[in-house]
Amino acid sequence: MTTAPTTAAPFTNVTATATSTATGSGSGSAHSGPGPAPDRGPGPGSASAPGSPSGSGSASGPGSTSGPGSTSGPGSGSASASGFDAVAGLSWEELVTSALLGTDRRPPAPRGGPAPADAPAALLDAAALHTVRQRAGLRPAVPQDRPAPAAPDPRPALPEAARLRLAHLLADRAAPSAGGRRGAAPDLTELIPQWLATANRMGYRAPASLLPPLLDAARARTDLRPQALAFAGPRGLWLAGLNPDWRFALRGAAGGTLRPDVTDPDAVARLWEEGLFAERIALLDAVRAQDPPAGTALLATTWAAERAEDRLMFLDTLRSGLGNADEPFLEQALSDRSRNVRATAAELLSALPASALAGRMAARALSCVHLDRTGVSPGIAVEAPHECDAGMQRDGVAAVPPAGRGERSCWLGQLVEATPLDVWEERLGGRAAEEVVALPVADEWAGELHAAWCRAAVRQRNPHWSRALLGRPSAPPASGPGTASIAERSKLLSVLEEGERASWVAGFIAAHGLSEAFQLLGVCTVPWAGPLGRAVVDALDIARDGGSYPWSFSGVMGLAERCLDPAEADRLEVLTAAQDEQEGASPGAGGYWSEAFQRLVSTLRLRATMEAELLAA
């Protein structure tokens, strides 16, 4: 198999190759600066770099690569100009494929065109040219009219100190990671989301010079995209339209596309009929934000002609501003030819307690669950459905259960989770939610019934039932009234008001420690409220004093760096001192704990400084 000459190392040092080809230098040396370059001299296996001029670029000495495999550039006469021209238009990916497979198996030539006479040399020269273009930011294109200028961004400019801080954060993101032990220095990369959120909250615009690294950061991290694109504004979207590497900004996210004035019906109709999918999603979001029924009416105009996957995405946008006015449209979607569309429509309808679907599901669920007064104390009796008829399937009940679940229990759960929760208070003797979930359930149906009530509370955003199903935070999870699942508890917490949510999690940590609290902390508002922050710090201090492995708490410590109130830094200073090694403690744990608390304190102080910089007028 013929490949590019090994002495030229085509893809191990493309930078030197690119430089010599672009400049026509006499050698591939990377030497720069005054004075002569070091004399490398001919020797075994030596070869001139691609692009060396004729006369001085030929290799000499034993093992030289002169002849058909010569690596001389297009100006040397050894490789024909026509061979180079044949591959100059190939993409980088095509060149890499040819180099990996070998130029005899995959000649570097346009599709259907002839292979160059000296394929390895032509491939190297084309790779060098690509590298120079990449360095210069040049992207070969057919000449065309200049793009229209970006839309104006009326937001105020950043204070100078904040601009320098952002540049520092973005530069640190691009720096190579040293790996290993983190040390006591803050992790600047993890502060970018918080910096962007604060800057957006204060209404600043992004500096033009920092838009490229900002878009690069958003390209690498999807979690940054909503905040980064909002901060980049119209200039960022304009720039993204000129560089394929940033095309993510023009699709997917609602905030990533320029929207017309939603009060202009002609502009709205034109974009809805002619726009790209991402533009239409953004438009639908914008119309729904101003007038939800108008958004649904807009979607109905083209619904029958949309692809199934697009119908599903459009339907998902109705979650925002969902109301009773959406019921007729969603009821029609229950007959959609796509199973996923039908299921999503049913889920949205079940979140509307007054909908006809919710009434039908309630009638079915009430025939399966009722109050049992035959025992010493009242309880709940359950008789799960014996079949899943066509009506149930049309209303979104999946006939085939997932692996590991029985059919009847799966059907029961789907009926109960789609039933308005207020129905159960009336059905089960006028009891309040706390009393209902405390009733014993016969025949081991409690787990299925309570899990379905949890899903219903989250879907219907019912804080009263969420509070009842969570129970007291000090109670052991296994004996709680609703569910022992931390994932389901975190969803229930998301329904509660911010202060109550933080207070409940603080009580849970105080009673059970941090081992099971990580997922619960993730749903709490940043910065953490005082009681929650103190509970987390106290639990970390207890773990340190107990000689626990500090690495077991690295996730919580990382959350604390981003979520604790910066005002807590002074109170935490005392925890930064190194402790003596305790008997039975993990080796080196004291030093690691001290380092972790130092990093926490320095990060909190840096966050306070960042916010002060953004507040500076």
Side-chain angles (χ1 to χ4, degrees):
M1 176 177 70
T2 303
T3 60
T6 57
T7 56
F11 291 101
T12 57
N13 192 5
V14 174
T15 300
T17 303
T19 304
S20 62
T21 298
T23 62
S25 60
S27 71
S29 170
H31 170 76
S32 62
D39 182 15
R40 302 182 186 276
S46 65
S48 62
S52 56
S54 59
S56 64
S58 61
S60 62
S64 65
T65 58
S66 61
S70 172
T71 59
S72 299
S76 67
S78 298
S80 67
S82 60
F84 174 72
D85 292 340
V87 298
L90 297 180
S91 69
W92 178 261
E93 290 75 15
E94 290 172 313
L95 295 176
V96 171
T97 301
S98 182
L100 292 175
L101 296 180
T103 54
D104 58 340
R105 295 177 58 191
R106 180 68 63 85
R111 188 178 300 276
D118 190 353
L123 184 146
L124 281 176
D125 290 334
L129 183 61
H130 268 280
T131 302
V132 173
R133 284 171 173 167
Q134 181 69 23
R135 277 181 158 188
L138 173 66
R139 295 183 175 277
V142 177
Q144 54 186 337
D145 294 337
R146 288 186 178 182
D153 191 340
R155 296 177 295 177
L158 280 172
E160 180 61 16
R163 187 192 67 80
L164 293 174
R165 179 70 62 188
L166 176 60
H168 187 197
L169 294 176
L170 293 174
D172 186 81
R173 182 203 69 83
S177 174
R181 190 163 172 170
R182 285 183 58 191
D187 185 349
L188 301 185
T189 301
E190 293 305 317
L191 295 178
I192 296 177
Q194 194 166 97
W195 190 99
L196 289 172
T198 306
N200 284 331
R201 188 171 66 250
M202 296 181 178
Y204 289 117
R205 72 168 182 265
S209 61
L210 295 180
L211 285 174
L214 179 65
L215 291 171
D216 281 339
R219 179 192 180 196
R221 287 181 55 177
T222 56
D223 63 309
L224 288 180
R225 291 180 183 178
Q227 294 286 0
L229 294 179
F231 184 56
R235 288 180 179 176
L237 294 177
W238 175 85
L239 200 58
L242 302 176
N243 187 338
D245 286 346
W246 301 326
R247 59 182 176 269
F248 70 87
L250 304 177
R251 67 169 188 263
T257 313
L258 294 175
R259 304 172 182 173
D261 181 1
V262 295
T263 61
D264 183 350
D266 292 335
V268 168
R270 183 165 56 254
L271 181 58
W272 182 251
E273 293 174 1
E274 302 174 2
L276 300 174
F277 176 72
E279 294 172 328
R280 300 176 71 208
I281 282 281
L283 175 63
L284 184 58
D285 273 339
V287 174
R288 290 276 300 176
Q290 185 179 64
D291 185 357
T296 307
L298 180 66
L299 178 58
T301 60
T302 59
W303 178 258
E306 305 287 356
R307 299 183 305 168
E309 55 267 33
D310 292 349
R311 293 200 304 276
L312 183 61
M313 292 289 290
F314 285 134
L315 202 60
D316 204 55
T317 64
L318 301 188
R319 297 181 189 276
S320 176
L322 182 67
N324 292 328
D326 298 316
E327 182 180 359
F329 178 82
L330 293 172
E331 190 71 31
Q332 291 181 359
L334 290 176
S335 302
D336 194 271
R337 54 188 180 274
S338 166
R339 178 176 60 84
N340 290 331
V341 171
R342 295 195 302 271
T344 301
E347 180 188 345
L348 293 173
L349 283 169
S350 66
L352 300 172
S355 67
L357 178 137
R360 295 192 296 269
M361 299 296 266
R364 296 176 181 123
L366 291 176
S367 68
C368 299
V369 181
H370 57 87
L371 190 64
D372 183 7
R373 300 181 184 274
T374 60
V376 177
S377 58
I380 298 176
V382 176
E383 180 65 29
H386 290 275
E387 64 173 344
C388 183
D389 57 34
M392 290 170 62
Q393 293 183 49
R394 181 182 183 275
D395 284 345
V397 178
V400 180
R405 292 193 65 189
E407 287 184 336
R408 297 181 65 197
S409 62
C410 182
W411 298 336
L412 173 70
Q414 293 177 80
L415 295 179
V416 172
E417 71 183 62
T419 298
L421 289 165
D422 294 344
V423 168
W424 300 110
E425 298 179 15
E426 179 182 353
R427 173 71 168 179
L428 300 175
R431 291 173 169 82
E434 291 82 359
E435 298 173 294
V436 170
V437 298
L439 289 172
V441 182
D443 300 327
E444 299 183 351
W445 284 104
E448 187 66 50
L449 186 61
H450 287 176
W453 279 338
C454 288
R455 295 192 295 272
V458 174
R459 183 180 299 181
Q460 299 171 32
R461 311 304 295 174
N462 190 312
H464 183 51
W465 272 80
S466 296
R467 196 176 297 117
L469 290 162
L470 281 167
R472 292 179 295 106
S474 58
S479 63
T483 174
S485 167
I486 296 297
E488 289 182 348
R489 287 187 165 206
S490 65
K491 293 177 182 178
L492 290 171
L493 281 168
S494 68
V495 178
L496 302 182
E497 179 268 335
E498 294 176 2
E500 184 179 4
R501 193 187 314 167
S503 177
W504 196 94
V505 177
F508 183 90
I509 292 172
H512 310 296
L514 290 168
S515 58
E516 295 183 341
F518 184 80
Q519 200 165 357
L520 302 179
L521 287 168
V523 300
C524 294
T525 306
V526 177
W528 289 336
L532 176 57
R534 287 191 292 273
V536 171
V537 173
D538 290 344
L540 288 171
D541 192 18
I542 291 171
R544 181 191 67 158
D545 290 342
S548 301
Y549 280 103
W551 312 280
S552 302
F553 298 90
S554 59
V556 175
M557 190 67 80
L559 268 181
E561 291 173 15
R562 300 187 295 274
C563 302
L564 267 178
D565 190 330
E568 297 286 330
D570 291 341
R571 193 173 70 87
L572 291 169
E573 186 72 45
V574 67
L575 301 178
T576 62
Q579 288 185 320
D580 295 333
E581 295 289 343
Q582 303 177 27
E583 184 178 352
S586 305
Y592 271 95
W593 276 112
S594 173
E595 196 173 78
F597 279 114
Q598 289 175 32
R599 183 171 59 249
L600 175 58
V601 170
S602 60
T603 301
L604 294 179
R605 287 177 174 158
L606 177 57
R607 284 175 50 207
T609 300
M610 286 166 41
E611 186 161 351
E613 291 168 348
L614 285 165
L615 286 169

